[in-house]
Amino acid sequence: MAKVLLIDDDVELVEMLKEYLEQDGFEVAAVHNGADGLAQAVGGEFAIAVLDVMMPRMQGMETLRQLRTRSQLPVLMLTAKGDDADRILGLELGADDYVSKPCTPRELSARIRAILRRTQQLGSGDSNQFVVGRLAMWPEQRRVQWDGNAVALTSTEFNLLEVLVRHAGHTVSKQDLSEKALFRPLARFDRNVDVHMSSLRHKLGTLADGRSCIQTVHRQGYVLVKD
């Protein structure tokens, strides 16, 4: 039974979501401000956190920023409907995905399950080491190194990188990346893949010629370059 942490100051909404998620097979704990949410999230007992952007004491973005300095716990952000700026900033800070409020409990549950699948399925049963130039990956252990140094990735970043590693030297379309790493079709104007790729480029080292090891192929997708 996966344990979910809800961090949202809307008490009535949280109670509704908590009741549904528990009926859907999750164990759920809830807090109503960012500071308490951060303290709970870094404890290591939760499989995922659902984090609202607008909260007292500590805003959701600051909570996420501080969390990412201490933990790679998967995070699903709750954002205002149509607020693209919050969505993009949340992804850039390390959120795994987002849901627009108001959302249905069923949609939230489905997104949570999708993120948990992403953290478990791609590397399941595969203990092989993949080496592409200076990059090394152990899918089953969900571990990545660049030049022998550990690289901390979010669950979504790891899964996107794994898809590229398994197709190193070949272009992978954004549609395929979304389906294989995010477990959903690519929606129109969806920038999730692009934002996560930008983050990956900053976390990984460069090739001998100074280029990023992840290259954009215009109108086609992305390719992990074999150095």
Side-chain angles (χ1 to χ4, degrees), residues 14-35:
V14 166
E15 286 303 311
M16 179 186 69
L17 295 177
K18 183 174 185 292
E19 181 178 356
Y20 183 92
L21 291 174
E22 288 175 341
Q23 292 175 353
D24 206 25
F26 294 102
E27 183 178 352
V28 183
V31 295
H32 302 295
N33 64 76

Side-chain angles (χ1 to χ4, degrees), residues 36-181:
D36 290 344
L38 178 63
Q40 293 276 347
V42 298
E45 61 179 308
F46 294 98
I48 187 171
V50 179
L51 176 63
D52 186 29
V53 171
M54 300 296 295
M55 287 186 298
R57 292 184 60 186
M58 184 185 293
Q59 294 284 347
M61 294 302 180
E62 181 59 25
T63 303
L64 177 60
R65 191 192 313 273
Q66 293 193 32
L67 176 62
R68 278 293 170 257
T69 67
R70 303 162 62 181
S71 171
Q72 294 304 311
L73 176 73
V75 173
L76 176 64
M77 296 291 293
L78 296 177
T79 66
K81 187 174 183 179
D83 197 336
D84 293 336
D86 275 347
R87 295 175 186 177
I88 293 171
L89 179 58
L91 294 172
E92 289 176 340
L93 290 176
D96 292 273
D97 205 349
Y98 62 83
V99 172
S100 297
K101 296 173 71 175
C103 65
T104 66
R106 183 178 180 181
E107 179 186 8
L108 182 66
S109 180
R111 290 293 183 93
I112 290 172
R113 291 189 186 281
I115 292 174
L116 295 178
R117 283 199 303 271
R118 302 203 300 253
T119 65
Q120 299 164 5
Q121 281 191 0
L122 279 178
S124 178
D126 188 347
S127 60
N128 292 331
Q129 176 189 13
F130 292 88
V131 178
V132 181
R134 304 175 195 179
L135 177 70
M137 170 180 277
W138 293 264
E140 186 173 313
Q141 302 171 32
R142 298 189 67 78
R143 186 161 59 93
V144 173
Q145 290 183 351
W146 181 272
D147 265 350
N149 298 312
V151 181
L153 301 178
T154 67
S155 63
T156 300
E157 291 167 353
F158 185 95
N159 288 312
L160 286 167
L161 182 60
E162 183 176 350
V163 175
L164 291 178
V165 165
R166 291 179 181 273
H167 298 83
H170 299 278
T171 301
V172 184
S173 70
K174 289 202 293 184
Q175 179 69 47
D176 283 346
L177 286 165
S178 184
E179 291 179 353
K180 293 176 180 178

